[in-house]
Amino acid sequence: MNVDDFIQRFSAGLAKMQELPLLQARRAYVELCQTFAPPDPTGMRIENSALGGVSVRRFIPQQRTPGCVLFIHGGGFTIGSTESHHGPAASLAQALAREVVSVNYRLAPEVAYPAMLADCRTVLEAVQPVALVGDSAGGRLAIDLAHQRNEAPPLGLIYPTVGALSLECLGEGAPLLSRDDVLGIRQQCPDIIATQRDRRPPAASIEMLTVERDPLTLPIEAAIANWCEEGASVGYLCAPNMVHASLHAHALLPDMSAAWQDFCQKLKQRLN
């Protein structure tokens, strides 16, 4: 598959979702994402359970190292789930050779951002992960979880929302995520804009993956520069010609596949 085909198919799915009530749109998003997900790795166990009243999905590879990784899905804080991000979580578990616990935090508009963060914190405290990995909105949650701890585990961040999310700081709009889309996220979850959250996370090390065609990449690169000045160890990869949401099709898009494998390998090296 080439990236233009992916954009066309994903855009068509998102357009259909806009015509649906929110709960139906969330289900449609799951079905859309699943059309791009690879089969589960051979021998991997998938278990659904709950921790402190928060539902989770566990991905347990056949060969694994002790210690689990907490994965926090994206979806603009209003959609997304352990189901929609099943493919990336399973791939992450296989690549890291560690159990991955994916958290099904509550969403807006039913709850405000602090409740989402509280759900993730509940799971974090229950499993004591060796790393936090967050995709898009989940990356913002991972950063904020790290700020709540004196010593945070390594972070793996995939195109997270950082900065003021204003027109002045954003890059150019791109397919699947326009500048107006980003402003809509800010309106839906105003609590994510607190500027103190963009100081260096207390994690000892950070791996960051972005994509070339994404208005969030410019503020991410500005944040990385600031974090490095403050002493953070940050590894950075940018997948050429890829767009926001490409992670869902990482098994089908060669450039995203290469960047994702590199990201997972570098995070694995930090954990080992």
Side-chain angles (χ1 to χ4, degrees):
M1 175 185 288
N2 64 48
V3 69
D4 291 332
D5 291 336
F6 170 71
I7 291 169
Q8 183 177 11
R9 286 176 55 185
F10 210 87
S11 294
L14 294 178
K16 291 180 181 178
M17 286 169 50
Q18 293 178 355
E19 302 172 359
L20 299 173
L22 181 57
L23 293 183
Q24 292 181 31
R26 288 173 179 165
R27 187 67 238 170
Y29 182 68
V30 169
E31 294 170 357
L32 174 63
C33 295
Q34 288 177 342
T35 63
F36 300 100
D40 290 338
T42 302
M44 178 169 288
R45 293 199 339 260
I46 313 294
E47 299 178 357
N48 294 318
S49 60
L51 295 168
V54 181
S55 65
V56 298
R57 179 167 291 184
R58 294 177 178 270
F59 299 81
I60 306 168
Q62 193 168 34
Q63 303 293 328
R64 70 182 189 275
T65 302
C68 73
V69 172
L70 180 61
F71 177 76
I72 309 175
H73 68 77
F77 306 102
T78 60
I79 57 175
S81 65
T82 55
E83 288 186 277
S84 65
H85 287 66
H86 181 110
S91 176
L92 181 69
Q94 187 72 6
L96 298 182
R98 292 181 187 265
E99 177 182 351
V100 165
V101 179
S102 180
V103 55
N104 216 30
Y105 58 90
R106 289 169 291 172
L107 301 170
E110 290 90 336
V111 302
Y113 183 74
M116 304 178 203
L117 192 59
D119 286 349
C120 297
R121 184 171 59 250
T122 294
V123 176
L124 180 148
E125 291 173 351
V127 302
Q128 294 297 312
V130 297
L132 304 178
V133 177
D135 156 54
S136 192
R140 174 79 268 169
L141 285 157
I143 292 169
D144 290 349
L145 278 181
H147 278 309
Q148 294 182 351
R149 303 176 72 84
N150 292 329
E151 293 184 8
L155 293 177
L157 305 173
I158 304 107
Y159 36 63
T161 54
V162 298
L165 302 186
S166 63
L167 290 176
E168 294 75 21
C169 74
L170 293 174
E172 294 183 5
L176 304 188
L177 191 68
S178 68
R179 287 156 63 91
D180 285 342
D181 291 334
V182 177
L183 296 182
I185 293 171
R186 171 178 172 159
Q187 183 177 10
Q188 188 70 249
C189 279
D191 292 311
I192 66 174
I193 309 303
T195 55
Q196 69 269 22
R197 292 187 180 130
D198 290 319
R199 68 188 189 280
R200 180 179 70 85
S205 58
I206 301 167
E207 285 296 329
M208 181 77 77
L209 172 60
T210 65
V211 288
E212 183 179 8
R213 301 161 67 188
D214 185 341
L216 296 178
T217 298
L218 189 62
I220 288 169
E221 291 178 342
I224 290 174
N226 291 335
W227 295 347
C228 289
E229 286 181 3
E230 295 171 6
S233 172
V234 184
Y236 178 54
L237 295 162
C238 182
N241 203 35
M242 293 295 101
V243 295
H244 205 85
S246 295
L247 180 61
H248 290 294
H250 68 272
L252 303 173
L253 297 167
D255 285 338
M256 196 65 195
S257 177
W260 174 244
Q261 292 174 22
D262 200 359
F263 168 83
C264 291
Q265 184 61 33
K266 285 181 165 55
L267 182 59
K268 184 177 182 179
Q269 290 171 357
R270 289 185 185 267
L271 298 183
N272 292 341

